[in-house]
Amino acid sequence: MDEAAFALRNATVAIVGLGLMGGSLALALRAKNACAKIIAIERDADTRAHARARGVVDQASADLALAAAADVIILATPVRVILEQLPRVGAVARAHAIVMDLGSTKRQITQALDALPTPLQAIGAHPLCGKETAGFAAADANLFRAAAFVLTPLARTTPQTLAFAQTLAEILGARPVILAAARHDQIVAAISHLPFALAATLMTTAADRARGDDMLFALAASGFRDTSRLAASDTPMMLDTLLTNRENVVDSLRTYSRQLGALADALARGDETTLRAALEMAAEKRRGMFT
Amino acid sequence: MDEAAFALRNATVAIVGLGLMGGSLALALRAKNACAKIIAIERDADTRAHARARGVVDQASADLALAAAADVIILATPVRVILEQLPRVGAVARAHAIVMDLGSTKRQITQALDALPTPLQAIGAHPLCGKETAGFAAADANLFRAAAFVLTPLARTTPQTLAFAQTLAEILGARPVILAAARHDQIVAAISHLPFALAATLMTTAADRARGDDMLFALAASGFRDTSRLAASDTPMMLDTLLTNRENVVDSLRTYSRQLGALADALARGDETTLRAALEMAAEKRRGMFT
């Protein structure tokens, strides 16, 4: 066991938000017996009771003040909630506690982490996994398995804290990847936020086309199911994600719209050569992934 | 056993094109021992040899003239190939043979079916299933299970032929759905061709954004995987599909572009109310499907 794993083994971990991410984290830490104690800060009383009854957490409260008892504080709420909670965490946390978040955009959060009182250790994180079902009921100890676990260290992040975060990711079965916050936000705009916006808009267009025609949705098959899956994502979480990565997402959407428009134009004029080249490039690129 | 199942049981079935669809049809008919003999018309010599060696078909040839020996002729090639093959099938088929196709658009094919010599029976079909892997190697006897199997009868289609097609769909484990060809083509433009175009364009945009940055594709997770899956579809098949349903697909793409533009505009101006309403509507609609 390395130093970081040992430190975690003896640590009290506070998880803020027992949703899909935070709940899965609690389940995984418990399953691996990776830390001494798990505290949950969760506003929903049913979730708190449920998590305690299942033995997933040792203590639970709606009050962020409980974070004062923790060596490691991990915020797993939507991005704008994290931004609001961080100063309050900073006000109650122990002098040398590690503060980490799992928010899906990182630039604004990195700034908020940087504003924490200096004795605190701070690092941003974003595990690139999820499902379209939100909440503790959907939590899964294996959620992080084989996922990329992006870490966005600050200038003030010590090598010990970074090593700790890497070890945490590995204990969860994930693959730690160190990235600058700005680069992270650009990349996820294209690979995560854009696909979400496409799926949501697909539902909008399909609903428009289905007006008075139940047959349309009745005939939708696996292709539609997969392409539209992300549309079912948790709206509050996605709103926070999009609004805190606005420039990158708008930029991706504009580029996408231009490219979709070019495809529509080629089809409209029956330009088979252009169409074939675009579709072949896309097919080749896609077949080279996930194999 | 109803009359139609009995007729199939004693029939020689010719399948034109042993790709994913035709190959799966051959496998399913053989597995159920649903017909007396299966003939394949397939241009690829390896596929013919492979299908014969596995006992999936009894006879195979590259020559469409072999269809003369069949009671039922089912065309499972891409749409424009079907359009080219139908008159040739009409020239060689037995007087009262049933001619059916599995093409993914139906208006142009219905016209071509209607031009067949009158003693022939004719009906269009489109099983709404598939995978992004093409070819006989990907064929699967269970491909049609639980899928909608659209039937587009012509004015000349007899009740017996329609009953036969319905029974065939049921034998494959599919759910027969009778639709007018024009309505079919409008619906699939929204639920199948639009999602394909979105997935392909997602790959184009991601490749554009990834330029010189391998990290982007390395971080793509399940959301990207599902949203982009259809981009790997067989290009020749999809080209034929899009080009024979051009007006409907262009129309769907234009509507989609407008709606995506409206989403981008709302995000760009930070209009949370509009954004929330759009995302909630999409999420609710999507959660109501596939449950």
Side-chain angles (χ1 to χ4, degrees):
Chain A
M1 199 186 293
D2 70 9
E3 206 183 324
F6 181 78
L8 180 59
R9 191 65 178 266
N10 292 291
T12 292
V13 176
I15 300 174
V16 184
L18 277 188
L20 174 66
M21 279 289 169
S24 297
L25 176 63
L27 284 168
L29 291 175
R30 183 98 310 166
K32 309 255 177 204
N33 197 21
C35 61
K37 194 176 168 187
I38 305 178
I39 295 174
I41 322 277
E42 164 59 46
R43 62 177 184 181
D44 183 67
D46 287 346
T47 301
R48 291 199 303 269
H50 193 51
R52 264 195 310 248
R54 281 178 59 187
V56 179
V57 305
D58 301 296
Q59 212 178 336
S61 168
D63 188 356
L64 213 48
L66 197 64
D71 304 298
V72 180
I73 303 165
I74 304 178
L75 294 94
T77 42
V79 177
R80 292 189 298 181
V81 180
I82 293 174
L83 291 172
E84 182 268 318
Q85 288 170 328
L86 273 175
R88 293 162 56 209
V89 165
V92 300
R94 285 181 187 171
H96 297 280
I98 296 178
V99 179
M100 190 178 181
D101 80 288
L102 306 182
S104 32
T105 65
K106 300 263 62 93
R107 270 178 317 165
Q108 294 189 28
I109 287 178
T110 298
Q111 287 165 18
L113 284 168
D114 219 20
L116 289 173
T118 43
L120 287 174
Q121 273 303 305
I123 185 164
H126 179 209
L128 287 165
C129 52
K131 348 188 206 180
E132 72 278 27
T133 329
F136 184 68
D140 174 359
N142 293 316
L143 185 70
F144 306 99
R145 278 266 167 90
F149 200 102
V150 173
L151 299 173
T152 54
L154 318 178
R156 64 186 261 188
T157 305
T158 62
Q160 288 77 13
T161 297
L162 180 58
F164 176 88
Q166 287 174 308
T167 297
L168 174 67
E170 283 159 6
I171 285 171
L172 299 174
R175 174 168 53 92
V177 175
I178 299 173
L179 267 186
R183 197 167 171 222
H184 167 273
D185 284 7
Q186 276 168 358
I187 289 177
V188 291
I191 64 170
S192 172
H193 312 162
L194 173 63
F196 164 72
L198 299 181
T201 307
L202 176 56
M203 292 310 302
T204 311
T205 303
D208 176 279
R209 290 304 148 120
R211 203 159 293 172
D213 187 356
D214 287 347
M215 188 56 87
L216 187 142
F217 286 112
L219 290 183
S222 61
F224 187 88
R225 186 186 61 218
D226 285 2
T227 317
S228 65
R229 182 175 67 84
L230 290 179
S233 302
D234 188 49
T235 303
M237 185 194 73
M238 289 313 302
L239 261 181
D240 279 23
T241 301
L242 299 179
L243 287 164
T244 57
N245 197 20
R246 212 199 307 189
E247 299 78 8
N248 287 321
V249 179
V250 169
D251 196 37
S252 280
L253 287 169
R254 302 288 191 219
T255 301
Y256 185 90
S257 282
R258 266 198 310 280
Q259 291 169 333
L260 192 69
L263 193 80
D265 291 346
L267 180 58
R269 63 176 189 269
D271 177 352
E272 199 167 330
T273 311
T274 300
L275 216 49
R276 180 181 286 112
L279 301 184
E280 266 173 2
M281 191 285 274
E284 209 170 290
K285 199 91 203 156
R286 180 57 177 71
R287 287 183 201 127
M289 297 183 75
F290 309 115
T291 48
Chain B
M1 198 186 297
D2 70 8
E3 205 183 324
F6 181 78
L8 180 58
R9 191 64 178 267
N10 292 290
T12 292
V13 176
I15 300 175
V16 183
L18 277 188
L20 174 66
M21 279 291 170
S24 298
L25 175 64
L27 285 168
L29 290 175
R30 182 99 308 165
K32 308 256 177 203
N33 198 20
C35 61
K37 194 175 167 188
I38 304 178
I39 296 174
I41 322 276
E42 163 59 47
R43 61 177 184 181
D44 183 66
D46 287 347
T47 301
R48 291 198 304 268
H50 191 53
R52 263 195 312 245
R54 282 178 60 188
V56 179
V57 305
D58 302 296
Q59 212 178 337
S61 168
D63 188 356
L64 212 49
L66 197 65
D71 304 299
V72 180
I73 302 166
I74 304 178
L75 293 94
T77 42
V79 178
R80 291 189 298 179
V81 180
I82 293 174
L83 292 171
E84 181 268 318
Q85 288 170 328
L86 273 175
R88 294 162 57 208
V89 165
V92 300
R94 285 180 187 172
H96 297 281
I98 296 178
V99 179
M100 189 179 182
D101 81 287
L102 306 182
S104 33
T105 66
K106 301 263 62 95
R107 269 177 319 164
Q108 292 189 29
I109 287 178
T110 297
Q111 287 166 18
L113 284 170
D114 218 19
L116 288 172
T118 42
L120 287 174
Q121 275 303 305
I123 185 164
H126 179 210
L128 288 164
C129 52
K131 348 186 204 181
E132 72 277 26
T133 328
F136 184 66
D140 174 359
N142 294 317
L143 185 70
F144 306 99
R145 277 265 167 89
F149 200 103
V150 173
L151 299 173
T152 55
L154 319 177
R156 63 187 263 187
T157 305
T158 63
Q160 288 77 12
T161 297
L162 179 58
F164 176 88
Q166 287 173 307
T167 297
L168 174 67
E170 283 159 6
I171 285 172
L172 299 174
R175 174 168 53 93
V177 176
I178 298 172
L179 266 186
R183 196 167 172 221
H184 167 274
D185 284 6
Q186 277 168 359
I187 289 177
V188 292
I191 62 170
S192 172
H193 311 161
L194 173 63
F196 164 72
L198 299 181
T201 307
L202 176 56
M203 291 310 302
T204 311
T205 303
D208 177 279
R209 290 303 146 121
R211 203 159 292 175
D213 188 356
D214 287 347
M215 187 57 88
L216 187 142
F217 286 112
L219 290 182
S222 61
F224 187 89
R225 187 185 61 217
D226 285 2
T227 317
S228 65
R229 182 175 69 83
L230 291 179
S233 302
D234 188 49
T235 304
M237 186 193 73
M238 289 312 303
L239 262 181
D240 278 24
T241 301
L242 299 179
L243 287 164
T244 58
N245 198 20
R246 211 197 308 188
E247 299 76 11
N248 287 321
V249 179
V250 169
D251 195 37
S252 280
L253 287 170
R254 302 286 191 222
T255 302
Y256 186 90
S257 283
R258 266 198 309 279
Q259 291 168 332
L260 191 69
L263 193 79
D265 292 345
L267 180 57
R269 63 176 190 268
D271 178 352
E272 199 166 332
T273 311
T274 301
L275 217 49
R276 179 181 286 110
L279 300 184
E280 265 172 3
M281 191 285 274
E284 207 170 291
K285 199 92 203 156
R286 182 57 177 73
R287 286 183 202 127
M289 295 182 77
F290 309 115
T291 46

